[in-house]
Amino acid sequence: EALGTPPDPEAEFVAARELWRAENFAEAIPEMQLLIENYPEHDVSLYATNMLFDSLITESPDAAELFYWSDLYTSNESLLKGRADLAERLAHIRVVSLRKMAEEWEAAGDVQGCYLSYQSILDTLGDARGRDEILHNAALCAEQAGFEAEARRAWTELVADHPGSPLVATALAHLGA
């Protein structure tokens, strides 16, 4: 931009979108990130955020990277103000990436990382659907990591809060009931 020329978010978005349409994600992704950071309340940031995550999911399905960006943007109040759909999408991406990370850590034998990832999901989910399965997985990883109190707490919560879940029988067996 020339000195003294006011920023033009729409023109910057059009340029980033053209890179994206040409599937030049390596250049489009940083441009979209700049749009989101520089103009969080502008409409271009909504479009850029959706395109950014579509690109990240397509180009780099790395769970840690998806978690990083979704976590960063879920805390951006200016970006999410009045955009419940975007907030919901980012929260979903955050949970999916945490779950994928937990599975990767478990497969690699890092049961502590597995447990911590599932615990982060529980902190995020509230009372959402699928919480019983996350409690089950968190309890298993906690047990394997030697976190007996945390495992017991997860098993107990599963039984108390999800009495109709098919996982209750497993929880009761682990609790010795």
Side-chain angles (χ1 to χ4, degrees), residues 1 7-20 27-52 55 69 72-73 76 78-80 83 86:
E1 292 181 14
D8 186 352
E10 288 91 358
E12 292 176 39
F13 175 75
V14 168
R17 187 181 62 200
E18 289 307 311
L19 292 168
W20 185 80
E27 289 185 40
I29 288 172
E31 293 300 320
M32 287 183 267
Q33 291 165 340
L34 284 173
L35 283 164
I36 297 163
E37 292 164 19
N38 292 337
Y39 314 107
E41 295 175 357
H42 196 283
D43 285 344
V44 297
S45 67
L46 173 65
Y47 306 126
T49 303
N50 282 308
M51 289 171 61
L52 170 68
S55 302
W69 291 109
L72 179 69
Y73 292 141
N76 186 328
S78 296
L79 175 65
L80 299 180
R83 296 174 174 165
L86 180 60

Side-chain angles (χ1 to χ4, degrees), residues 16 48 58 84 167:
T58 302
L167 299 170

Side-chain angles (χ1 to χ4, degrees), residues 30-138:
E31 293 300 320
M32 287 183 267
Q33 291 165 340
L34 284 173
L35 283 164
I36 297 163
E37 292 164 19
N38 292 337
Y39 314 107
E41 295 175 357
H42 196 283
D43 285 344
V44 297
S45 67
L46 173 65
Y47 306 126
T49 303
N50 282 308
M51 289 171 61
L52 170 68
F53 281 96
D54 290 346
S55 302
L56 289 172
I57 290 166
T58 302
E59 277 302 294
S60 176
D62 176 56
E65 184 174 12
L66 286 173
F67 172 76
Y68 172 80
W69 291 109
S70 62
D71 194 53
L72 179 69
Y73 292 141
T74 54
S75 64
N76 186 328
E77 293 176 17
S78 296
L79 175 65
L80 299 180
K81 185 177 180 182
R83 296 174 174 165
D85 289 348
L86 180 60
E88 186 176 314
R89 180 174 189 218
L90 292 176
H92 176 74
I93 291 169
R94 185 177 185 276
V95 167
V96 168
S97 62
L98 278 168
R99 188 165 191 166
K100 187 174 178 185
M101 287 167 52
E103 292 165 357
E104 290 171 358
W105 284 327
E106 185 177 24
D110 182 355
V111 290
Q112 182 176 353
C114 173
Y115 166 72
L116 293 172
S117 185
Y118 279 124
Q119 188 57 52
S120 292
I121 295 170
L122 291 169
D123 294 343
T124 300
L125 274 181
D127 294 328
R129 185 176 56 86
R131 187 173 176 84
D132 59 334
E133 185 180 338
I134 301 301
L135 283 163
H136 172 268
N137 294 346

Side-chain angles (χ1 to χ4, degrees), residues 111-112 115 138-152:
V111 290
Q112 182 176 353
Y115 166 72
L140 288 175
C141 288
E143 282 182 349
Q144 292 172 17
F147 302 152
E148 295 303 321
E150 290 84 352
R152 185 165 197 73

